[in-house]
Amino acid sequence: MSSSATSVLTNVARLAITLGVGGSLLNASLYTVDGGHRAVLFDRFRGVLEETQGEGTHFLIPWLQKPYIFDVRTRPRSITSVTGTKDLQMVNLTLRVLSKPETTHLPTIFKTLGTDYDERVLPSIGNEVLKAVVAQFNADQLLTERPYVSKLVREALTQRAKDFNIVLDDVALTHLSYGAEFSKAVEQKQVAQQEAERSKFVVMKAEQERLAAVTRAEGESEAAKLISDATANVGGAMIELRRIEAAREIAATLSRSRNVVYLPGGNNMLLGLGTGGTN
């Protein structure tokens, strides 16, 4: 009975060991590629295999083969650069890039660049293209022609990335700023333009006032001429009419005064009219 029990336990132990070893070998022979990823196999005898593995679970030979997983989804990256313009002004630029690898060329990318291909390539070619494009423009043109500059950068960088089997879905300039000296010069230029506009306005105002004075003087001269012509045509009658009107205004003024002394014609008497008592 003891011998039978020992035999059963031995068989169970052997089975457990066999299952454990088999499970370990099976687990080591399987690997999983998640969604949005691709796998490149490295074989110790044949090197990097040219065929890439898609999503799902795949078999490999343990110890002999090793999978390297690549993320083939579009990923954003920001590239900053300080470069000089055509007129020797320093500009700070930030470039946003959406990139992904060409899945059919993953083995080549792995052999030449490694799994961190984007870290090695994009900052380098991004700075190279930015410096080459920005050097074609003056500092003020980067603002006035920014869409065109962004287009040139996108086309040049896309073409440059193809040399490394990298696809760029989008390239855009997200930030552009100038150095302190140029910003100060721009501010001074704006102040000077405002002063020039103000001076121009003052000159225009003075010119308008001069024209108004000339027009007013011409009008007064024309009025004096008309009066002179009227006087010459009518003769002394106009002067006599003015004298009568003046005398009438004087008489009306005297009649409204309280103390008036006058001498009647033909008598040597002084009469006081409107006085408050006898003097």
PDB file of all heavy atoms in Angstrom, residues 173-211:
ATOM      1  N   LEU A 173       3.603  75.865 -37.722  1.00  0.00           N
ATOM      2  CA  LEU A 173       4.304  76.783 -36.826  1.00  0.00           C
ATOM      3  C   LEU A 173       3.318  77.247 -35.760  1.00  0.00           C
ATOM      4  O   LEU A 173       2.323  77.891 -36.066  1.00  0.00           O
ATOM      5  CB  LEU A 173       4.832  77.990 -37.609  1.00  0.00           C
ATOM      6  CG  LEU A 173       6.055  77.753 -38.497  1.00  0.00           C
ATOM      7  CD1 LEU A 173       6.351  78.992 -39.336  1.00  0.00           C
ATOM      8  CD2 LEU A 173       7.273  77.407 -37.656  1.00  0.00           C
ATOM      9  N   THR A 174       3.590  76.922 -34.518  1.00  0.00           N
ATOM     10  CA  THR A 174       2.658  77.265 -33.436  1.00  0.00           C
ATOM     11  C   THR A 174       3.121  78.466 -32.624  1.00  0.00           C
ATOM     12  O   THR A 174       2.324  79.060 -31.901  1.00  0.00           O
ATOM     13  CB  THR A 174       2.483  76.068 -32.492  1.00  0.00           C
ATOM     14  OG1 THR A 174       3.760  75.675 -31.964  1.00  0.00           O
ATOM     15  CG2 THR A 174       1.865  74.892 -33.240  1.00  0.00           C
ATOM     16  N   HIS A 175       4.382  78.824 -32.714  1.00  0.00           N
ATOM     17  CA  HIS A 175       4.880  79.950 -31.916  1.00  0.00           C
ATOM     18  C   HIS A 175       6.009  80.630 -32.669  1.00  0.00           C
ATOM     19  O   HIS A 175       6.866  79.970 -33.270  1.00  0.00           O
ATOM     20  CB  HIS A 175       5.373  79.458 -30.552  1.00  0.00           C
ATOM     21  CG  HIS A 175       5.968  80.549 -29.709  1.00  0.00           C
ATOM     22  ND1 HIS A 175       5.211  81.525 -29.112  1.00  0.00           N
ATOM     23  CD2 HIS A 175       7.256  80.814 -29.380  1.00  0.00           C
ATOM     24  CE1 HIS A 175       5.996  82.343 -28.446  1.00  0.00           C
ATOM     25  NE2 HIS A 175       7.240  81.942 -28.595  1.00  0.00           N
ATOM     26  N   LEU A 176       5.991  81.962 -32.629  1.00  0.00           N
ATOM     27  CA  LEU A 176       7.030  82.754 -33.273  1.00  0.00           C
ATOM     28  C   LEU A 176       7.254  84.009 -32.439  1.00  0.00           C
ATOM     29  O   LEU A 176       6.314  84.770 -32.192  1.00  0.00           O
ATOM     30  CB  LEU A 176       6.617  83.122 -34.705  1.00  0.00           C
ATOM     31  CG  LEU A 176       7.679  83.782 -35.602  1.00  0.00           C
ATOM     32  CD1 LEU A 176       7.373  83.464 -37.066  1.00  0.00           C
ATOM     33  CD2 LEU A 176       7.694  85.290 -35.419  1.00  0.00           C
ATOM     34  N   SER A 177       8.474  84.214 -31.989  1.00  0.00           N
ATOM     35  CA  SER A 177       8.788  85.410 -31.204  1.00  0.00           C
ATOM     36  C   SER A 177      10.185  85.885 -31.559  1.00  0.00           C
ATOM     37  O   SER A 177      11.037  85.102 -32.005  1.00  0.00           O
ATOM     38  CB  SER A 177       8.696  85.120 -29.694  1.00  0.00           C
ATOM     39  OG  SER A 177       9.652  84.143 -29.312  1.00  0.00           O
ATOM     40  N   TYR A 178      10.421  87.192 -31.340  1.00  0.00           N
ATOM     41  CA  TYR A 178      11.693  87.799 -31.686  1.00  0.00           C
ATOM     42  C   TYR A 178      12.511  88.086 -30.428  1.00  0.00           C
ATOM     43  O   TYR A 178      11.990  88.040 -29.313  1.00  0.00           O
ATOM     44  CB  TYR A 178      11.463  89.098 -32.460  1.00  0.00           C
ATOM     45  CG  TYR A 178      10.748  88.910 -33.763  1.00  0.00           C
ATOM     46  CD1 TYR A 178       9.375  89.084 -33.852  1.00  0.00           C
ATOM     47  CD2 TYR A 178      11.437  88.532 -34.910  1.00  0.00           C
ATOM     48  CE1 TYR A 178       8.712  88.906 -35.053  1.00  0.00           C
ATOM     49  CE2 TYR A 178      10.789  88.355 -36.107  1.00  0.00           C
ATOM     50  CZ  TYR A 178       9.419  88.540 -36.174  1.00  0.00           C
ATOM     51  OH  TYR A 178       8.766  88.357 -37.358  1.00  0.00           O
ATOM     52  N   GLY A 179      13.774  88.426 -30.636  1.00  0.00           N
ATOM     53  CA  GLY A 179      14.643  88.797 -29.530  1.00  0.00           C
ATOM     54  C   GLY A 179      14.258  90.146 -28.943  1.00  0.00           C
ATOM     55  O   GLY A 179      13.481  90.913 -29.526  1.00  0.00           O
ATOM     56  N   ALA A 180      14.842  90.464 -27.784  1.00  0.00           N
ATOM     57  CA  ALA A 180      14.492  91.701 -27.083  1.00  0.00           C
ATOM     58  C   ALA A 180      14.865  92.934 -27.901  1.00  0.00           C
ATOM     59  O   ALA A 180      14.106  93.911 -27.951  1.00  0.00           O
ATOM     60  CB  ALA A 180      15.195  91.732 -25.728  1.00  0.00           C
ATOM     61  N   GLU A 181      15.997  92.905 -28.584  1.00  0.00           N
ATOM     62  CA  GLU A 181      16.428  94.065 -29.363  1.00  0.00           C
ATOM     63  C   GLU A 181      15.481  94.345 -30.519  1.00  0.00           C
ATOM     64  O   GLU A 181      15.108  95.492 -30.774  1.00  0.00           O
ATOM     65  CB  GLU A 181      17.852  93.840 -29.883  1.00  0.00           C
ATOM     66  CG  GLU A 181      18.902  93.767 -28.780  1.00  0.00           C
ATOM     67  CD  GLU A 181      20.297  93.594 -29.348  1.00  0.00           C
ATOM     68  OE1 GLU A 181      20.412  93.498 -30.589  1.00  0.00           O
ATOM     69  OE2 GLU A 181      21.256  93.557 -28.556  1.00  0.00           O
ATOM     70  N   PHE A 182      15.077  93.286 -31.212  1.00  0.00           N
ATOM     71  CA  PHE A 182      14.167  93.495 -32.338  1.00  0.00           C
ATOM     72  C   PHE A 182      12.792  93.956 -31.857  1.00  0.00           C
ATOM     73  O   PHE A 182      12.171  94.817 -32.478  1.00  0.00           O
ATOM     74  CB  PHE A 182      14.034  92.201 -33.148  1.00  0.00           C
ATOM     75  CG  PHE A 182      13.171  92.348 -34.375  1.00  0.00           C
ATOM     76  CD1 PHE A 182      13.654  92.927 -35.521  1.00  0.00           C
ATOM     77  CD2 PHE A 182      11.849  91.905 -34.374  1.00  0.00           C
ATOM     78  CE1 PHE A 182      12.867  93.073 -36.645  1.00  0.00           C
ATOM     79  CE2 PHE A 182      11.050  92.040 -35.485  1.00  0.00           C
ATOM     80  CZ  PHE A 182      11.568  92.625 -36.628  1.00  0.00           C
ATOM     81  N   SER A 183      12.315  93.387 -30.758  1.00  0.00           N
ATOM     82  CA  SER A 183      11.020  93.808 -30.218  1.00  0.00           C
ATOM     83  C   SER A 183      11.053  95.280 -29.829  1.00  0.00           C
ATOM     84  O   SER A 183      10.089  96.025 -30.079  1.00  0.00           O
ATOM     85  CB  SER A 183      10.650  92.949 -29.001  1.00  0.00           C
ATOM     86  OG  SER A 183      10.559  91.585 -29.360  1.00  0.00           O
ATOM     87  N   LYS A 184      12.166  95.711 -29.240  1.00  0.00           N
ATOM     88  CA  LYS A 184      12.298  97.125 -28.886  1.00  0.00           C
ATOM     89  C   LYS A 184      12.330  98.000 -30.130  1.00  0.00           C
ATOM     90  O   LYS A 184      11.720  99.076 -30.172  1.00  0.00           O
ATOM     91  CB  LYS A 184      13.578  97.324 -28.068  1.00  0.00           C
ATOM     92  CG  LYS A 184      13.766  98.748 -27.562  1.00  0.00           C
ATOM     93  CD  LYS A 184      15.026  98.850 -26.707  1.00  0.00           C
ATOM     94  CE  LYS A 184      15.207 100.289 -26.199  1.00  0.00           C
ATOM     95  NZ  LYS A 184      16.435 100.405 -25.371  1.00  0.00           N
ATOM     96  N   ALA A 185      13.036  97.538 -31.168  1.00  0.00           N
ATOM     97  CA  ALA A 185      13.093  98.298 -32.422  1.00  0.00           C
ATOM     98  C   ALA A 185      11.723  98.401 -33.063  1.00  0.00           C
ATOM     99  O   ALA A 185      11.344  99.456 -33.590  1.00  0.00           O
ATOM    100  CB  ALA A 185      14.079  97.641 -33.386  1.00  0.00           C
ATOM    101  N   VAL A 186      10.946  97.315 -33.011  1.00  0.00           N
ATOM    102  CA  VAL A 186       9.587  97.343 -33.564  1.00  0.00           C
ATOM    103  C   VAL A 186       8.720  98.336 -32.796  1.00  0.00           C
ATOM    104  O   VAL A 186       7.943  99.103 -33.381  1.00  0.00           O
ATOM    105  CB  VAL A 186       8.967  95.929 -33.524  1.00  0.00           C
ATOM    106  CG1 VAL A 186       7.485  95.981 -33.879  1.00  0.00           C
ATOM    107  CG2 VAL A 186       9.701  95.011 -34.486  1.00  0.00           C
ATOM    108  N   GLU A 187       8.860  98.336 -31.474  1.00  0.00           N
ATOM    109  CA  GLU A 187       8.083  99.268 -30.653  1.00  0.00           C
ATOM    110  C   GLU A 187       8.455 100.714 -30.987  1.00  0.00           C
ATOM    111  O   GLU A 187       7.574 101.571 -31.122  1.00  0.00           O
ATOM    112  CB  GLU A 187       8.339  98.977 -29.181  1.00  0.00           C
ATOM    113  CG  GLU A 187       7.534  99.866 -28.239  1.00  0.00           C
ATOM    114  CD  GLU A 187       7.790  99.525 -26.788  1.00  0.00           C
ATOM    115  OE1 GLU A 187       8.511  98.542 -26.528  1.00  0.00           O
ATOM    116  OE2 GLU A 187       7.285 100.251 -25.913  1.00  0.00           O
ATOM    117  N   GLN A 188       9.748 100.993 -31.124  1.00  0.00           N
ATOM    118  CA  GLN A 188      10.184 102.343 -31.482  1.00  0.00           C
ATOM    119  C   GLN A 188       9.676 102.739 -32.868  1.00  0.00           C
ATOM    120  O   GLN A 188       9.302 103.896 -33.099  1.00  0.00           O
ATOM    121  CB  GLN A 188      11.710 102.413 -31.427  1.00  0.00           C
ATOM    122  CG  GLN A 188      12.279 102.292 -30.023  1.00  0.00           C
ATOM    123  CD  GLN A 188      13.798 102.277 -30.018  1.00  0.00           C
ATOM    124  OE1 GLN A 188      14.428 102.132 -31.074  1.00  0.00           O
ATOM    125  NE2 GLN A 188      14.396 102.406 -28.840  1.00  0.00           N
ATOM    126  N   LYS A 189       9.666 101.800 -33.783  1.00  0.00           N
ATOM    127  CA  LYS A 189       9.162 102.084 -35.122  1.00  0.00           C
ATOM    128  C   LYS A 189       7.676 102.424 -35.085  1.00  0.00           C
ATOM    129  O   LYS A 189       7.219 103.354 -35.769  1.00  0.00           O
ATOM    130  CB  LYS A 189       9.402 100.873 -36.033  1.00  0.00           C
ATOM    131  CG  LYS A 189       8.929 101.073 -37.465  1.00  0.00           C
ATOM    132  CD  LYS A 189       9.232  99.851 -38.316  1.00  0.00           C
ATOM    133  CE  LYS A 189       8.729 100.045 -39.743  1.00  0.00           C
ATOM    134  NZ  LYS A 189       8.999  98.846 -40.588  1.00  0.00           N
ATOM    135  N   GLN A 190       6.913 101.687 -34.272  1.00  0.00           N
ATOM    136  CA  GLN A 190       5.493 101.977 -34.151  1.00  0.00           C
ATOM    137  C   GLN A 190       5.260 103.357 -33.546  1.00  0.00           C
ATOM    138  O   GLN A 190       4.378 104.102 -33.998  1.00  0.00           O
ATOM    139  CB  GLN A 190       4.820 100.901 -33.293  1.00  0.00           C
ATOM    140  CG  GLN A 190       4.758  99.538 -33.958  1.00  0.00           C
ATOM    141  CD  GLN A 190       4.180  98.474 -33.050  1.00  0.00           C
ATOM    142  OE1 GLN A 190       4.071  98.662 -31.840  1.00  0.00           O
ATOM    143  NE2 GLN A 190       3.820  97.339 -33.620  1.00  0.00           N
ATOM    144  N   VAL A 191       6.070 103.705 -32.528  1.00  0.00           N
ATOM    145  CA  VAL A 191       5.945 105.041 -31.931  1.00  0.00           C
ATOM    146  C   VAL A 191       6.274 106.111 -32.965  1.00  0.00           C
ATOM    147  O   VAL A 191       5.580 107.139 -33.057  1.00  0.00           O
ATOM    148  CB  VAL A 191       6.868 105.152 -30.697  1.00  0.00           C
ATOM    149  CG1 VAL A 191       6.908 106.589 -30.185  1.00  0.00           C
ATOM    150  CG2 VAL A 191       6.394 104.228 -29.586  1.00  0.00           C
ATOM    151  N   ALA A 192       7.333 105.886 -33.750  1.00  0.00           N
ATOM    152  CA  ALA A 192       7.710 106.851 -34.781  1.00  0.00           C
ATOM    153  C   ALA A 192       6.607 106.997 -35.827  1.00  0.00           C
ATOM    154  O   ALA A 192       6.313 108.109 -36.293  1.00  0.00           O
ATOM    155  CB  ALA A 192       9.022 106.420 -35.442  1.00  0.00           C
ATOM    156  N   GLN A 193       5.982 105.878 -36.211  1.00  0.00           N
ATOM    157  CA  GLN A 193       4.886 105.952 -37.177  1.00  0.00           C
ATOM    158  C   GLN A 193       3.702 106.729 -36.614  1.00  0.00           C
ATOM    159  O   GLN A 193       3.072 107.523 -37.323  1.00  0.00           O
ATOM    160  CB  GLN A 193       4.460 104.536 -37.569  1.00  0.00           C
ATOM    161  CG  GLN A 193       5.472 103.800 -38.430  1.00  0.00           C
ATOM    162  CD  GLN A 193       5.041 102.381 -38.731  1.00  0.00           C
ATOM    163  OE1 GLN A 193       4.165 101.823 -38.066  1.00  0.00           O
ATOM    164  NE2 GLN A 193       5.671 101.758 -39.714  1.00  0.00           N
ATOM    165  N   GLN A 194       3.407 106.530 -35.332  1.00  0.00           N
ATOM    166  CA  GLN A 194       2.324 107.281 -34.709  1.00  0.00           C
ATOM    167  C   GLN A 194       2.637 108.767 -34.666  1.00  0.00           C
ATOM    168  O   GLN A 194       1.757 109.602 -34.923  1.00  0.00           O
ATOM    169  CB  GLN A 194       2.070 106.741 -33.303  1.00  0.00           C
ATOM    170  CG  GLN A 194       1.501 105.320 -33.282  1.00  0.00           C
ATOM    171  CD  GLN A 194       1.369 104.777 -31.878  1.00  0.00           C
ATOM    172  OE1 GLN A 194       1.763 105.404 -30.913  1.00  0.00           O
ATOM    173  NE2 GLN A 194       0.822 103.572 -31.758  1.00  0.00           N
ATOM    174  N   GLU A 195       3.896 109.107 -34.342  1.00  0.00           N
ATOM    175  CA  GLU A 195       4.290 110.511 -34.323  1.00  0.00           C
ATOM    176  C   GLU A 195       4.201 111.114 -35.722  1.00  0.00           C
ATOM    177  O   GLU A 195       3.781 112.263 -35.891  1.00  0.00           O
ATOM    178  CB  GLU A 195       5.725 110.637 -33.786  1.00  0.00           C
ATOM    179  CG  GLU A 195       5.870 110.322 -32.307  1.00  0.00           C
ATOM    180  CD  GLU A 195       5.157 111.335 -31.430  1.00  0.00           C
ATOM    181  OE1 GLU A 195       4.952 112.479 -31.894  1.00  0.00           O
ATOM    182  OE2 GLU A 195       4.805 111.000 -30.290  1.00  0.00           O
ATOM    183  N   ALA A 196       4.610 110.339 -36.722  1.00  0.00           N
ATOM    184  CA  ALA A 196       4.520 110.823 -38.101  1.00  0.00           C
ATOM    185  C   ALA A 196       3.068 111.055 -38.508  1.00  0.00           C
ATOM    186  O   ALA A 196       2.739 112.067 -39.160  1.00  0.00           O
ATOM    187  CB  ALA A 196       5.181 109.821 -39.045  1.00  0.00           C
ATOM    188  N   GLU A 197       2.177 110.132 -38.109  1.00  0.00           N
ATOM    189  CA  GLU A 197       0.760 110.323 -38.422  1.00  0.00           C
ATOM    190  C   GLU A 197       0.205 111.549 -37.714  1.00  0.00           C
ATOM    191  O   GLU A 197      -0.599 112.302 -38.284  1.00  0.00           O
ATOM    192  CB  GLU A 197      -0.025 109.075 -38.010  1.00  0.00           C
ATOM    193  CG  GLU A 197       0.247 107.849 -38.868  1.00  0.00           C
ATOM    194  CD  GLU A 197      -0.215 108.037 -40.301  1.00  0.00           C
ATOM    195  OE1 GLU A 197      -1.196 108.775 -40.513  1.00  0.00           O
ATOM    196  OE2 GLU A 197       0.406 107.458 -41.212  1.00  0.00           O
ATOM    197  N   ARG A 198       0.637 111.763 -36.456  1.00  0.00           N
ATOM    198  CA  ARG A 198       0.169 112.930 -35.708  1.00  0.00           C
ATOM    199  C   ARG A 198       0.665 114.223 -36.370  1.00  0.00           C
ATOM    200  O   ARG A 198      -0.089 115.198 -36.511  1.00  0.00           O
ATOM    201  CB  ARG A 198       0.652 112.852 -34.266  1.00  0.00           C
ATOM    202  CG  ARG A 198       0.079 113.946 -33.378  1.00  0.00           C
ATOM    203  CD  ARG A 198       0.561 113.821 -31.941  1.00  0.00           C
ATOM    204  NE  ARG A 198       0.073 112.575 -31.333  1.00  0.00           N
ATOM    205  CZ  ARG A 198       0.829 111.539 -31.053  1.00  0.00           C
ATOM    206  NH1 ARG A 198       2.122 111.557 -31.334  1.00  0.00           N
ATOM    207  NH2 ARG A 198       0.313 110.457 -30.496  1.00  0.00           N
ATOM    208  N   SER A 199       1.949 114.239 -36.786  1.00  0.00           N
ATOM    209  CA  SER A 199       2.489 115.417 -37.471  1.00  0.00           C
ATOM    210  C   SER A 199       1.771 115.670 -38.788  1.00  0.00           C
ATOM    211  O   SER A 199       1.477 116.818 -39.154  1.00  0.00           O
ATOM    212  CB  SER A 199       3.990 115.222 -37.716  1.00  0.00           C
ATOM    213  OG  SER A 199       4.686 115.050 -36.503  1.00  0.00           O
ATOM    214  N   LYS A 200       1.465 114.600 -39.493  1.00  0.00           N
ATOM    215  CA  LYS A 200       0.735 114.727 -40.747  1.00  0.00           C
ATOM    216  C   LYS A 200      -0.644 115.339 -40.518  1.00  0.00           C
ATOM    217  O   LYS A 200      -1.095 116.199 -41.285  1.00  0.00           O
ATOM    218  CB  LYS A 200       0.608 113.353 -41.403  1.00  0.00           C
ATOM    219  CG  LYS A 200      -0.079 113.356 -42.745  1.00  0.00           C
ATOM    220  CD  LYS A 200      -0.132 111.952 -43.321  1.00  0.00           C
ATOM    221  CE  LYS A 200      -0.845 111.931 -44.658  1.00  0.00           C
ATOM    222  NZ  LYS A 200      -0.914 110.550 -45.216  1.00  0.00           N
ATOM    223  N   PHE A 201      -1.297 114.907 -39.428  1.00  0.00           N
ATOM    224  CA  PHE A 201      -2.605 115.458 -39.096  1.00  0.00           C
ATOM    225  C   PHE A 201      -2.504 116.949 -38.766  1.00  0.00           C
ATOM    226  O   PHE A 201      -3.353 117.751 -39.184  1.00  0.00           O
ATOM    227  CB  PHE A 201      -3.208 114.692 -37.922  1.00  0.00           C
ATOM    228  CG  PHE A 201      -4.478 115.289 -37.398  1.00  0.00           C
ATOM    229  CD1 PHE A 201      -5.669 115.118 -38.082  1.00  0.00           C
ATOM    230  CD2 PHE A 201      -4.471 116.029 -36.224  1.00  0.00           C
ATOM    231  CE1 PHE A 201      -6.841 115.684 -37.602  1.00  0.00           C
ATOM    232  CE2 PHE A 201      -5.635 116.588 -35.736  1.00  0.00           C
ATOM    233  CZ  PHE A 201      -6.826 116.418 -36.429  1.00  0.00           C
ATOM    234  N   VAL A 202      -1.453 117.333 -38.009  1.00  0.00           N
ATOM    235  CA  VAL A 202      -1.273 118.744 -37.653  1.00  0.00           C
ATOM    236  C   VAL A 202      -1.056 119.582 -38.912  1.00  0.00           C
ATOM    237  O   VAL A 202      -1.613 120.682 -39.049  1.00  0.00           O
ATOM    238  CB  VAL A 202      -0.085 118.890 -36.677  1.00  0.00           C
ATOM    239  CG1 VAL A 202       0.270 120.356 -36.475  1.00  0.00           C
ATOM    240  CG2 VAL A 202      -0.419 118.254 -35.335  1.00  0.00           C
ATOM    241  N   VAL A 203      -0.243 119.071 -39.833  1.00  0.00           N
ATOM    242  CA  VAL A 203       0.009 119.794 -41.087  1.00  0.00           C
ATOM    243  C   VAL A 203      -1.284 119.942 -41.891  1.00  0.00           C
ATOM    244  O   VAL A 203      -1.590 121.024 -42.430  1.00  0.00           O
ATOM    245  CB  VAL A 203       1.086 119.070 -41.911  1.00  0.00           C
ATOM    246  CG1 VAL A 203       1.201 119.681 -43.304  1.00  0.00           C
ATOM    247  CG2 VAL A 203       2.429 119.138 -41.191  1.00  0.00           C
ATOM    248  N   MET A 204      -2.068 118.866 -41.968  1.00  0.00           N
ATOM    249  CA  MET A 204      -3.328 118.928 -42.706  1.00  0.00           C
ATOM    250  C   MET A 204      -4.294 119.923 -42.051  1.00  0.00           C
ATOM    251  O   MET A 204      -5.001 120.670 -42.737  1.00  0.00           O
ATOM    252  CB  MET A 204      -3.958 117.536 -42.769  1.00  0.00           C
ATOM    253  CG  MET A 204      -3.184 116.538 -43.615  1.00  0.00           C
ATOM    254  SD  MET A 204      -3.913 114.888 -43.591  1.00  0.00           S
ATOM    255  CE  MET A 204      -5.513 115.233 -44.315  1.00  0.00           C
ATOM    256  N   LYS A 205      -4.321 119.947 -40.710  1.00  0.00           N
ATOM    257  CA  LYS A 205      -5.193 120.886 -40.004  1.00  0.00           C
ATOM    258  C   LYS A 205      -4.779 122.328 -40.281  1.00  0.00           C
ATOM    259  O   LYS A 205      -5.630 123.199 -40.538  1.00  0.00           O
ATOM    260  CB  LYS A 205      -5.141 120.594 -38.511  1.00  0.00           C
ATOM    261  CG  LYS A 205      -6.042 121.487 -37.678  1.00  0.00           C
ATOM    262  CD  LYS A 205      -5.949 121.133 -36.207  1.00  0.00           C
ATOM    263  CE  LYS A 205      -6.840 122.068 -35.370  1.00  0.00           C
ATOM    264  NZ  LYS A 205      -6.730 121.743 -33.925  1.00  0.00           N
ATOM    265  N   ALA A 206      -3.444 122.596 -40.241  1.00  0.00           N
ATOM    266  CA  ALA A 206      -2.956 123.949 -40.536  1.00  0.00           C
ATOM    267  C   ALA A 206      -3.291 124.355 -41.962  1.00  0.00           C
ATOM    268  O   ALA A 206      -3.661 125.506 -42.228  1.00  0.00           O
ATOM    269  CB  ALA A 206      -1.444 124.009 -40.299  1.00  0.00           C
ATOM    270  N   GLU A 207      -3.180 123.402 -42.882  1.00  0.00           N
ATOM    271  CA  GLU A 207      -3.505 123.695 -44.273  1.00  0.00           C
ATOM    272  C   GLU A 207      -4.986 124.030 -44.436  1.00  0.00           C
ATOM    273  O   GLU A 207      -5.353 124.972 -45.161  1.00  0.00           O
ATOM    274  CB  GLU A 207      -3.133 122.498 -45.148  1.00  0.00           C
ATOM    275  CG  GLU A 207      -3.398 122.685 -46.635  1.00  0.00           C
ATOM    276  CD  GLU A 207      -2.513 123.740 -47.261  1.00  0.00           C
ATOM    277  OE1 GLU A 207      -1.495 124.116 -46.655  1.00  0.00           O
ATOM    278  OE2 GLU A 207      -2.867 124.215 -48.357  1.00  0.00           O
ATOM    279  N   GLN A 208      -5.841 123.278 -43.741  1.00  0.00           N
ATOM    280  CA  GLN A 208      -7.268 123.561 -43.803  1.00  0.00           C
ATOM    281  C   GLN A 208      -7.594 124.927 -43.204  1.00  0.00           C
ATOM    282  O   GLN A 208      -8.432 125.676 -43.734  1.00  0.00           O
ATOM    283  CB  GLN A 208      -8.045 122.461 -43.066  1.00  0.00           C
ATOM    284  CG  GLN A 208      -7.992 121.104 -43.743  1.00  0.00           C
ATOM    285  CD  GLN A 208      -8.614 121.113 -45.133  1.00  0.00           C
ATOM    286  OE1 GLN A 208      -9.596 121.815 -45.377  1.00  0.00           O
ATOM    287  NE2 GLN A 208      -8.040 120.325 -46.038  1.00  0.00           N
ATOM    288  N   GLU A 209      -6.929 125.248 -42.088  1.00  0.00           N
ATOM    289  CA  GLU A 209      -7.156 126.566 -41.480  1.00  0.00           C
ATOM    290  C   GLU A 209      -6.686 127.683 -42.410  1.00  0.00           C
ATOM    291  O   GLU A 209      -7.330 128.739 -42.507  1.00  0.00           O
ATOM    292  CB  GLU A 209      -6.419 126.641 -40.138  1.00  0.00           C
ATOM    293  CG  GLU A 209      -7.028 125.743 -39.061  1.00  0.00           C
ATOM    294  CD  GLU A 209      -6.242 125.792 -37.765  1.00  0.00           C
ATOM    295  OE1 GLU A 209      -5.137 126.376 -37.790  1.00  0.00           O
ATOM    296  OE2 GLU A 209      -6.728 125.244 -36.755  1.00  0.00           O
ATOM    297  N   ARG A 210      -5.556 127.472 -43.095  1.00  0.00           N
ATOM    298  CA  ARG A 210      -5.071 128.482 -44.049  1.00  0.00           C
ATOM    299  C   ARG A 210      -6.062 128.682 -45.197  1.00  0.00           C
ATOM    300  O   ARG A 210      -6.374 129.815 -45.580  1.00  0.00           O
ATOM    301  CB  ARG A 210      -3.706 128.057 -44.591  1.00  0.00           C
ATOM    302  CG  ARG A 210      -3.048 129.097 -45.500  1.00  0.00           C
ATOM    303  CD  ARG A 210      -1.801 128.527 -46.140  1.00  0.00           C
ATOM    304  NE  ARG A 210      -2.126 127.480 -47.085  1.00  0.00           N
ATOM    305  CZ  ARG A 210      -2.536 127.713 -48.347  1.00  0.00           C
ATOM    306  NH1 ARG A 210      -2.679 128.953 -48.788  1.00  0.00           N
ATOM    307  NH2 ARG A 210      -2.811 126.701 -49.141  1.00  0.00           N
ATOM    308  N   LEU A 211      -6.580 127.558 -45.713  1.00  0.00           N
ATOM    309  CA  LEU A 211      -7.551 127.660 -46.795  1.00  0.00           C
ATOM    310  C   LEU A 211      -8.824 128.368 -46.329  1.00  0.00           C
ATOM    311  O   LEU A 211      -9.409 129.166 -47.064  1.00  0.00           O
ATOM    312  CB  LEU A 211      -7.890 126.259 -47.319  1.00  0.00           C
ATOM    313  CG  LEU A 211      -6.742 125.519 -48.032  1.00  0.00           C
ATOM    314  CD1 LEU A 211      -7.189 124.114 -48.412  1.00  0.00           C
ATOM    315  CD2 LEU A 211      -6.299 126.283 -49.269  1.00  0.00           C
TER     316      LEU A 211
END
